[in-house]
Amino acid sequence: MRQKVVLITGANGEIGHGLIRHLANTTGANIVALDVVPLDKSLRDLVSTYIVGDILDQMLLGRLVVEHEISTIYHLASILSTKAEYNPETAHRINVEGTLNLLRLAVEQSQWQGTSVKFIYPSSIAAYGIPSLNEKVQARPATEDQWCYPTTMYGCNKLYCEHLGRYYSTYYRQLSADCGTSETVDFRSIRFPGLISSETIPSGGTSDYGPEMIHAAAQGEEYSCFVRPATTIPFMVMPDAVKALVSLEAAPRNRLSQFVYNVTSFSLSAQEIFDIVLKAFPKAKIHFAVDECRQKIVDTWPEKLDDSAARKDWDWAPEYDCRRSFHEYLIPAIRSRYQTPK
Ligand code: SER
């Protein structure tokens, strides 16, 4: 008998760390972790198997389904917005072709199993592209279908993969003899704001100035914040991001009125993050040195997201507001991680 498993791609990344710990602590799920680098030692006991491999490797994915019956896929692997700009075509291959490979695997698995494989896909605030700073500042909290003109390869990839998920769920093989009535993938996506974790430091994102500022301050390292002090976007801490993913996964399908949902927690300017961080770590050596190119990217992302659809359809609500995020999660956990004296 093949083992029933939850597949997590990009398992060694920021969200992967939080998600694996959560699933291992709260469910009996057998986790298969896939990443291009070996899984962190601290996570290895929490998974059934970890595989070092590439989501572009069709043979590897083929072998996966020979050995495992996949019930849910958390497809976390991707190249983030800043990194993707250095090699947009490679980012496209990983972000889009990789997702396509996994969607096809999920549809095939759904047909074999006679039941839908759930496909949980983190999308991003980068799917938005507000044309000017003036409009950004004036804008009301963005709903899922507003301002969808991303200016980065990563944002384009995320937006397109949201559509691919909708296509594979609803229209895949729509002209086949069975008129597309066979089992198909159950695609569900969340558009995340900037994420901050106490455990990991992101790499290659454009919202990274938030987490980088606080991790650098706690280590007493100098940090140059690459956006202007007034720059504002929404953020969320990792426990809430994980909560959002598992809550959407658990929601009854008939309650879901859309494929893609915004979630948000608190919006802060870089200056406000700086003030909080400096208060917690008075010796922090942070200054602002604006990178105009990265600034331009953040200037297209909304200051606030409207997450009312998620609240209505699957009872979404963050557990960590700004005060709790910093004072009950980030500052204590990051302080103890680097063992900075109080
Ligand atoms: N944190 C991501 C990035 O900056 C946005 O999803 O690329």
Side-chain angles (χ1 to χ4, degrees):
M1 273 287 281
R2 294 182 313 156
Q3 196 188 33
K4 213 177 179 103
V5 299
V6 171
L7 172 64
I8 303 180
T9 72
N12 213 32
E14 279 238 280
I15 302 179
H17 274 77
L19 182 65
I20 288 174
R21 280 195 208 292
H22 177 88
L23 292 178
N25 289 335
T26 59
T27 68
N30 294 308
I31 301 169
V32 172
L34 174 62
D35 204 297
V36 279
V37 295
L39 193 66
D40 256 10
K41 289 210 175 84
S42 67
L43 297 175
R44 290 184 192 171
D45 286 344
L46 306 178
V47 303
S48 306
T49 318
Y50 76 91
I51 300 165
V52 181
D54 193 328
I55 51 172
L56 295 175
D57 181 348
Q58 305 269 12
M59 282 298 286
L60 174 87
L61 297 181
R63 279 202 305 275
L64 250 178
V65 298
V66 170
E67 284 165 29
H68 305 283
E69 186 179 315
I70 298 167
S71 55
T72 300
I73 298 173
Y74 289 91
H75 175 39
L76 313 179
S78 83
I79 303 288
L80 294 183
S81 57
T82 290
K83 205 166 169 190
E85 292 309 306
Y86 291 108
N87 195 336
E89 292 75 21
T90 300
H92 184 278
R93 287 200 67 203
I94 294 165
N95 292 346
V96 175
E97 288 177 38
T99 302
L100 199 70
N101 287 347
L102 284 147
L103 280 168
R104 202 170 52 211
L105 178 150
V107 170
E108 279 168 16
Q109 281 294 294
S110 303
Q111 290 170 352
W112 275 96
Q113 294 173 25
T115 179
S116 291
V117 168
K118 284 186 191 163
F119 195 102
I120 313 300
Y121 181 66
S123 184
S124 161
I125 191 171
Y128 291 103
I130 303 183
S132 70
L133 189 53
N134 194 29
E135 283 162 287
K136 165 172 166 146
V137 174
Q138 308 276 321
R140 296 157 68 84
T143 59
E144 285 83 354
D145 53 5
Q146 288 176 310
W147 310 109
C148 286
Y149 297 95
T151 63
T152 60
M153 179 52 101
Y154 170 77
C156 292
N157 296 162
K158 285 291 181 187
L159 186 61
Y160 176 57
C161 287
E162 292 175 2
H163 286 294
L164 279 181
R166 182 176 56 81
Y167 168 80
Y168 271 83
S169 285
T170 320
Y171 303 110
Y172 186 58
R173 296 206 172 130
Q174 55 189 311
L175 299 184
S176 64
D178 64 4
C179 248
T181 53
S182 55
E183 265 325 315
T184 185
V185 56
D186 179 354
F187 178 84
R188 306 171 178 204
S189 177
I190 292 182
R191 270 197 208 150
F192 281 118
L195 297 180
I196 315 181
S197 169
S198 65
E199 203 187 343
T200 45
I201 308 173
S203 67
T206 319
S207 61
D208 292 2
Y209 61 90
E212 280 171 357
M213 221 190 289
I214 170 163
H215 280 271
Q219 293 171 86
E221 284 176 1
E222 262 188 57
Y223 182 68
S224 299
C225 177
F226 57 81
V227 295
R228 285 189 297 272
T231 307
T232 303
I233 58 164
F235 285 96
M236 175 178 286
V237 289
M238 197 51 75
D240 270 337
V242 169
K243 178 190 167 186
L245 289 170
V246 297
S247 306
L248 181 59
E249 197 269 351
R253 179 76 248 175
N254 60 10
R255 284 196 62 192
L256 303 181
S257 61
Q258 50 200 60
F259 288 99
V260 178
Y261 289 92
N262 280 345
V263 295
T264 190
S265 177
F266 53 90
S267 289
L268 283 184
S269 67
Q271 179 69 49
E272 287 168 314
I273 301 176
F274 172 91
D275 292 343
I276 296 171
V277 166
L278 206 71
K279 216 165 167 190
F281 304 101
K283 292 194 192 127
K285 291 173 273 204
I286 303 166
H287 56 275
F288 287 85
V290 179
D291 174 335
E292 287 302 336
C293 299
R294 292 178 96 185
Q295 176 74 53
K296 265 196 204 148
I297 293 175
V298 187
D299 283 347
T300 69
W301 295 351
E303 287 197 352
K304 290 196 173 139
L305 297 174
D306 178 338
D307 62 0
S308 53
R311 288 175 183 268
K312 179 162 164 278
D313 286 3
W314 43 281
D315 308 316
W316 157 251
E319 280 177 17
Y320 291 81
D321 58 10
C322 179
R323 192 202 57 78
R324 244 196 117 195
S325 293
F326 281 92
H327 297 289
E328 290 184 29
Y329 169 66
L330 291 170
I331 294 169
I334 293 179
R335 199 192 290 283
S336 83
R337 178 186 161 146
Y338 303 114
Q339 294 176 330
T340 342
K342 283 196 184 185

